Each structure stands twice: as C-alpha cells, then as structure tokens.
Amino acid sequence: MAIRLDASSPDFERAFETLLTGKRESSVDVNDAVAKIIADVRARGDAALIELTNKFDRLSLTPETLRIPDAELDAAVAACDAKTLDALKMAKARIEAYHARQKPSDGRFTDAQGVELGHRWTAVGAVGLYVPGGTANYPSSVLMNAVPAKVAGVERVVMVVPMPDGKVNPLVLAAARLAGVDEVYRVGGAQAVAALAYGTATIKPVDKIVGPGNAFVAAAKRQVFGIVGIDMIAGPSEILVVADGQNDPDWIAADLLSQAEHDESSQSILVTDDAAFASRVEEAVAAQLKLLPRETTATKSWADFGAVIVVKSLVDSVPLVDRLAPEHLEIAVDDPEPLAARIRNAGAIFLGRYTPEAVGDYVAGSNHVLPTARSARFSSGLNVLDFMKRTSIVRCDADSLGRIGPAAVALATAEGLDAHGRSVSIRLNK
Amino acid sequence: MAIRLDASSPDFERAFETLLTGKRESSVDVNDAVAKIIADVRARGDAALIELTNKFDRLSLTPETLRIPDAELDAAVAACDAKTLDALKMAKARIEAYHARQKPSDGRFTDAQGVELGHRWTAVGAVGLYVPGGTANYPSSVLMNAVPAKVAGVERVVMVVPMPDGKVNPLVLAAARLAGVDEVYRVGGAQAVAALAYGTATIKPVDKIVGPGNAFVAAAKRQVFGIVGIDMIAGPSEILVVADGQNDPDWIAADLLSQAEHDESSQSILVTDDAAFASRVEEAVAAQLKLLPRETTATKSWADFGAVIVVKSLVDSVPLVDRLAPEHLEIAVDDPEPLAARIRNAGAIFLGRYTPEAVGDYVAGSNHVLPTARSARFSSGLNVLDFMKRTSIVRCDADSLGRIGPAAVALATAEGLDAHGRSVSIRLNK
C-alpha cells in the first residue's frame, strides 16, 4: 500500500521531503570489473569480445558471425504476426513524423558592425544503440532511439544486443530493420560498449552511444564518456498523475500501475484534491494488482515508492510537481492547459482524461526516453538534437575587425593573454 | 618545435593516428579526496564550507561574509579602467545579441488522427557558475557562461569564485555584475561544487552547474552529476588553421600561438598546401615566441603538441579536420565557404584571413566554451539550450485514442507489459 500524504497536515513538508530525496536505486559498484573488460576489448579487439560473449552469454561466435546478417533481420520482420507488425509500423511512422519537426535550422546574419555570424547543425557521424537482453528487451525502445538518429541524418546506426544462450526477441530485430539500423551485432554488456567506443577489427567505432542497460552497461558508458558521447543514464520509471474527483478511479489506477509494473524501483504518485476519490483509486489499485502478470513487481513498487497526496486545490500541485520533476506527468481534468502552463519540470505531459501515459510509450510519436530521478529540472527527453551538434561560424573582414578588434585586444591584455591580443592587433591598421 | 607531417608520405597515416590519439592531459585521481569533501559539506553545510575555505584558501569567513555583497560588485565595476569596462560592455552586448537568436520556439500541432502533439521549452530554475581562481580567472568566461543562462531565462544565476588569501580579480566581479549574476560567493574547489549541488543554510541549491575548474572541481562535478546537471568537462584548448600560401606567415603564427599560450597541454596545428609557407610560419612562430610573456608555456605546447601538416590540396584537409574535430578551426583562404561547407566536426569555424580565433574568445558574440579533445564529433559549444529543457506534450480525446490506442495495446501485449496495455484499453469503447 502506498503512503498517503495530506498537504494540509503540519508534518507534510517533512514527509514530502522524504519522498523527494528517497533513494530508489541501490547502486552496485562494478567499476573495476568494467574497467578490466574495457581494457581487454581495447587491447585484443574481436578476440576479447568473442571470449567475453562466450563467458557471459554462453554464445560461441567468430568474427564472421558477430554481425547479424540482413537476411536474418528480414526473416524476423517476416516472422512477426501481422497485428504486431502493423503496430510497429504505425509507431515508427508516428515517431518519425513527430521527430522530423525537431530538425533545427542553420542561420547566418551580418550585424551592425559588419561581422558575419551564424551557426550550422550537422549530424553525428556514427551512433551505437545498446539494447538490453532479458526482460527489458523492448522493440519500442529500438524505435525510440534509432528513429530520431536517422531523422537527424546519422549515416551509421549500429545496434548491439546480447543473445544469452543464443536467444533474442525477434521483435527487437524486426524493429531494428524497420527503423533503418545499419548494422546489428549479437554482443552485449560492458564488452559491447567498449567495442562501440574503441572499435575492433569487425566493429568500427562510433561517436556516440545511447540506450539503456544494466549496471555494467551504465558503468561502461560512464567510463567511455569523453572518447564518445553518451546519453543520460536512465533510472527507474516514474509517473505522477494529477487528477480531480471526476475521473474513473479504475482508469487512474491503471495509469499508476502502468509504471509500477516496470520495476520494483518504479514510482507512481497520485495528487488529487478529493480525499474520497483518493481512497477509491487506492481500492482500484489493490483490485487491479491481482489481475497483473507482473503483480509481484507492481505490488512492491506501489508499496515501497507509491504515494497518494491530497491537496486542497489542484493549483497547489504545481510546486509539488516542479520539485518532483516527474518523468511522466498526467493532468486528468477537463481543462488541463492552465495547470500544464504553470508546470516547469516534467519530461512529458499527458493532457486530459483520454491520454494515458502508455500511448506515449508506443504510438503518440513523442519519445519515451525521458529524464528520471528529478533530472527533468535540467534535462530533456531524447530528441533529434541529441544526434546533432552545432558549429558556430564567425567571419570578419578588415573593416569589421577594425570595429570590434580593439575591444578584443583590450580584454586579452586585461587577462594577460598577449598572444591572443597579438593575433588581432597584427591584422589591424593594415 | 612542432612536428611536421607530409600527407603524401607513406607513413603519414601512422603519424597522423599518433597525433590523433595522443593524450595531452595527465589525469590526477582525486576522487576519494573529493568524495570526502562533498560528504562533509552535505553533512555540515556552511560550517564545513567555511572550514575548508579556511584550510585551502587561507580565508576566514562567517555565514554572513560568504556572500559578496552587491555593493562590492558595484565597487569592482567602478574601479575598472574605462577602456576595459567599455570592452566588457561591448562583449556582453554582442554575446547577448548572438545568443538571443538561439531561443527555441514552442510548438503544437494536431495530426491526421486527431492527436494533439507538441513541446515546450522552459528555463532551468537555478544555475551555478564556477569561476576558477588563479591564472585561469577570466572575466570573459564569466560573460560566456552567465549571459546565455540569463538569455535562456534562468531566474537565479549563482557564481562561486575562490579568493585565495582574500584576493580576487576585480574584473571577474565586474563581469558578474554586468552579466546580471544574482549571487556571488567567495568559495571554490570541490566544497563550492558540493554547496551548489546540495545547498547549505546560506547557499540554496541549484539545478545545474557550469564552468571550468581544476582536477578537484572537475571530479566534484562528475560526482554530483545526477543530483544536478553539469556542462561538459573542458580539456586544454586547440586551434587548427587551414591556410594557403597567400597568408602573411606572421598572422598565422600569431593565431597558432594564441592557443599555445593557454596551457602547456594546448594544441596548435597548421594544415597548408604550401611547404615553403609552412616553413615561413615555423620561423615566424619561433620569432614571436620570444616576444611572449607566456613564452615558456607556449614554447612547451608548440614543441610537445604542435603540428604542421602539408597536404597536396586544401580539399585534402577536410577528412583530417573531421578526424581531429578541433575546438577552433580557422580557414584562412580567399573563399573559405566551400571548404567550410564540407567540414562536419568543429566547435567553431573562423572564416577568411581577417578572423583570428581570438575575436571569438571575446567579442564576436559566439560562445568561447567549445568542445575539446575531439568531442566536437558529438557535442556542441555552450548555448542557450544548455540552460533550458524540453517537455513533450500529448493530448488525445476519445476519438483519437480510439484510432491510435489499439496499436499501443498490441505493442504493450507483445512486450509483456499488461498494465501498460490495460491503461489504454480501459479507455477504449467508452
């Protein structure tokens, strides 16, 4: 059973602060083991990658079988049942359409001093996409990572996916094919991250690595950061539902459980202005939990990290939401826009009574890779700009350098950087 | 003396690869010491911060004197000599104008299925700006970090700057005042980063920390990442000049030295299609080195990491530039645009013979915080988006959920996430 907080209670601030700062993830220190794996792959390339895959995934490979041939990806598409394949295609098309609008424009202008200024966006050259094996092996995540990269114009998208005992979810391979992934390798863990970062004879190195993974993968991404770019380190999922008493408690309970089922460390929070409604939702959660195949996970998540907060008015939810900075925020009221407009920190906002967060996980078109653990205070969900970079452009001629150059010389002198000043002054009065 | 490489030589690729992968920075492991400092500030707040400042900076403070009063900042502005103050004001105005154009737009649209989609950008609530003490204590860096934050709409910009033995560069304080920094504290090191991340009684916590610093500051930023956002970890400066034989060798030599003077680990590279010109630049560098107050630093940087690469045609520089991905790229030819258009990886490009990189350090308006160590392959210079974050927005009604919802249910089922599917299906056919 989730905790219940009453915002009008004198000890609310203390209880809310506990909710806010509670640690949901226990971090395992695997840094030394990961450093050894990376050094090994860096030194011995394919040979190390193959040995480690044999050891950890019980899969015997050769340099020739590291890569999954395109024919095998095509076969995975062909083996999909029609309904799932159609759903994957719809999701891919909608993600593509949404992200295509994120493509940034280049710009140039000449200012009053005659200096030409601008910027240009270019795609990252090659991106590695990590796809976990086991239970978190989601075709939707392949689409959410690979499609924005392709929309950005990344020429080479390389996927790695472990195949423990030779097994892989064929839907993941089908999603890779649909998303236009260029190369797929059957390796995982820190060894796959090392291969992507440093390259081997078979796997050419990439410039950036994205995608979720276990503690080994996360540690490996942190360790190769700098050599390559990485995306955020994703934490357990979160949903915060702001709902008035006019909702169907079963609907809201279903939404809370949609995140609780992900992981025992997931967090589902309801904020409502109706204490009686809150109780009905709690009852509905209890009833629905029993119907879930993932009952154990969802029950533990709801009991350990779930919360129901009763506020006097829904407007009072705004500062609470901003402090929690949830990954997913639902605003289930008739007129959600005024409340939404006041919220500053949320990864994604789902408006109204007919927008369960799960549509955003699959087919809304927006990205489901979103900031967790309060990082929506300072970061954004995955988007096309994550696969591009911006180059500044400056051009002076003798006249415009004559206008702004003397100030540069003055500042260089004030900072004691004479060579800086000299590179400007040597061009003045010519 | 910098090394000379000839692109037509049979061992060029090996020599270039050595240049590319050479490590310029020796990293000191200060992680344990930094972890202790952070834990101490987290546990004891102001008291720890004051003790550590006394120990490291030999400066005795109280909670009341941690903050530099606005009057002291005003006095620093008043004490500036007129020429420097004018230059700072010009720089501030130009940085502001350039960055104002980076402000992103929000967007909403309703697609063919009737789903309303969009995104909204909001400013990060509070940003901490680290300014180093000692030799790298640059007023221009204060402007380059604080102005974009203010343009983004950050409400609270907090600066920390160590004052060893009570001393601080008054120009840094003046720049803070001009840039509109809201609070300035006289603390530095890992203890200042910890105070910004976790807060103390006197310093309220921030959401993101930016700005350069020594090994302790860099390690502290890495350790608090997640609690707050951080910017990139900056490495030593780099300049790559692509120049034909029609340039004045003295000008190009001055440009190469403008980065070499920063740090012994800085790197300056010339790529030219004229071997005789290359020799004239080498001679000019040798002559100008003797004139520099920072001769020792620049000489060591040029000798250890400088390079002159002779190519057959300047077009051949394009793949070399993309592999080096320099922080600063000058293209000193009459018609630089065609070459620039082919370059993918560079932090900033300076076009033509009259655009020394140093104008970009001070007054061009573009940002001088740029990706180093080949990270321009996957990252961008500091810009307004670094101080904002993007929230996705999704809104369905019963009809549009009816159109896209079944595909979400199909995918949730395929992924074994029944509660996800249920949160959608419970709303269908109502």
Side-chain angles (χ1 to χ4, degrees), chain A residues 84 87-88 90-91 94 98 101-102 108-109 111 113 115-120 122-125 138-140 155 171 206-207 222 225-229 250-251 254-255 257-259 261-262 288 291-294 334 336-337 340-341 343-351 353-356 358-359 361-364 366 376-381 383 385 389-398 401 403-404 407-408 410-412 414-420 422-424 426-427 430, chain B residues 84 87-88 90-91 94 98 101-102 108-109 111 113 115-120 122-125 138-140 155 171 206-207 222 225-229 250-251 254-255 257-259 261-262 288 291-294 334 336-337 340-341 343-351 353-356 358-359 361-364 366 376-381 383 385 389-398 401 403-404 407-408 410-412 414-420 422-424 426-427 430:
Chain A
T84 311
L88 275 178
M90 184 205 249
R94 293 184 60 84
Y98 182 81
R101 291 171 175 256
Q102 293 173 353
R108 284 285 187 107
F109 66 100
D111 72 12
Q113 283 71 40
V115 181
E116 193 178 336
L117 291 158
H119 69 274
R120 198 180 63 188
T122 46
V124 173
Y138 298 134
S140 58
E155 283 165 15
L171 288 176
V206 301
D207 301 303
R222 277 185 196 271
F225 174 57
I227 301 297
V228 295
D250 276 331
W251 294 16
D255 298 353
L257 290 176
S258 74
Q259 295 309 300
E261 78 171 339
H262 260 304
Q288 289 183 31
L291 309 174
L292 292 181
R294 298 170 72 107
D334 277 335
E337 298 280 2
I343 302 286
R344 166 178 248 156
N345 300 331
I349 305 182
F350 301 87
L351 297 172
R353 306 194 195 278
Y354 281 90
T355 320
V359 294
D361 284 333
Y362 296 112
V363 293
S366 56
R377 291 176 297 125
F378 53 80
S379 63
S380 309
N383 63 76
L385 298 186
K389 62 260 175 5
R390 193 182 170 288
T391 298
S392 306
I393 294 168
V394 182
R395 182 172 193 166
C396 292
D397 56 17
L401 188 66
R403 289 183 201 106
I404 68 168
L411 290 172
E415 291 186 351
L417 295 174
D418 289 51
H420 281 66
R422 195 180 163 76
S423 71
V424 177
I426 201 171
R427 286 171 167 91
K430 285 278 171 178
Chain B
T84 310
L88 274 178
M90 183 205 250
R94 293 185 60 84
Y98 182 82
R101 290 171 176 255
Q102 294 173 353
R108 282 285 186 107
F109 65 101
D111 71 11
Q113 283 72 38
V115 181
E116 193 177 336
L117 291 158
H119 68 275
R120 198 181 62 188
T122 45
V124 173
Y138 298 135
S140 59
E155 284 164 14
L171 287 177
V206 301
D207 300 302
R222 277 184 195 271
F225 173 56
I227 301 298
V228 295
D250 276 332
W251 295 15
D255 299 353
L257 291 175
S258 74
Q259 296 308 300
E261 78 171 338
H262 259 303
Q288 288 184 32
L291 310 173
L292 292 181
R294 297 170 73 108
D334 277 335
E337 297 280 2
I343 303 285
R344 167 177 248 156
N345 300 330
I349 305 181
F350 301 87
L351 297 172
R353 306 193 196 279
Y354 281 89
T355 320
V359 293
D361 284 334
Y362 296 111
V363 293
S366 55
R377 291 177 297 125
F378 53 80
S379 63
S380 309
N383 62 78
L385 298 186
K389 63 261 175 6
R390 193 184 170 286
T391 298
S392 305
I393 294 169
V394 182
R395 182 172 195 167
C396 294
D397 57 18
L401 188 66
R403 286 182 203 108
I404 68 167
L411 290 172
E415 291 187 351
L417 295 174
D418 290 50
H420 281 66
R422 195 182 163 78
S423 71
V424 177
I426 201 171
R427 286 170 167 92
K430 283 278 170 178

Side-chain angles (χ1 to χ4, degrees), chain B residues 50-135:
Chain B
I50 287 168
E51 271 179 41
L52 290 161
T53 301
N54 206 339
K55 177 177 169 189
F56 293 120
D57 297 337
R58 301 158 304 279
L59 178 65
S60 175
L61 297 173
T62 65
E64 291 68 37
T65 57
L66 272 172
R67 182 167 171 180
I68 301 184
D70 288 351
E72 204 170 320
L73 304 180
D74 288 334
V77 175
C80 274
D81 77 80
K83 196 172 160 188
T84 310
L85 186 62
D86 285 348
L88 274 178
K89 284 181 178 168
M90 183 205 250
K92 189 253 179 180
R94 293 185 60 84
I95 296 164
E96 199 166 60
Y98 182 82
H99 287 78
R101 290 171 176 255
Q102 294 173 353
K103 284 201 81 169
S105 320
D106 295 347
R108 282 285 186 107
F109 65 101
T110 303
D111 71 11
Q113 283 72 38
V115 181
E116 193 177 336
L117 291 158
H119 68 275
R120 198 181 62 188
W121 289 93
T122 45
V124 173
V127 165
L129 164 54
Y130 191 92
V131 176
T135 53

Side-chain angles (χ1 to χ4, degrees), chain A residues 238-281:
Chain A
E238 306 151 1
I239 186 169
L240 191 159
V241 182
V242 174
D244 61 21
Q246 305 308 305
N247 287 281
D248 184 328
D250 276 331
W251 294 16
I252 302 302
D255 298 353
L256 294 168
L257 290 176
S258 74
Q259 295 309 300
E261 78 171 339
H262 260 304
D263 193 291
E264 291 182 357
S265 307
S266 297
Q267 181 164 56
S268 304
I269 299 177
L270 169 66
V271 180
T272 180
D273 57 354
D274 184 331
F277 174 75
S279 301
R280 289 195 297 276
V281 172

Side-chain angles (χ1 to χ4, degrees), chain A residues 95-147:
Chain A
I95 296 164
E96 199 166 59
Y98 182 81
H99 288 78
R101 291 171 175 256
Q102 293 173 353
K103 283 201 82 168
S105 319
D106 296 346
R108 284 285 187 107
F109 66 100
T110 302
D111 72 12
Q113 283 71 40
V115 181
E116 193 178 336
L117 291 158
H119 69 274
R120 198 180 63 188
W121 289 92
T122 46
V124 173
V127 166
L129 163 54
Y130 191 93
V131 176
T135 51
N137 190 239
Y138 298 134
S140 58
S141 290
V142 174
L143 298 181
M144 291 291 179
N145 282 277
V147 172

Side-chain angles (χ1 to χ4, degrees), chain B residues 6-25:
Chain B
D6 182 338
S8 65
S9 149
D11 68 347
F12 174 73
E13 178 55 32
R14 198 179 44 76
F16 185 77
E17 188 68 28
T18 304
L19 182 72
L20 202 60
T21 53
K23 216 170 152 58
R24 286 184 283 139
E25 271 187 304

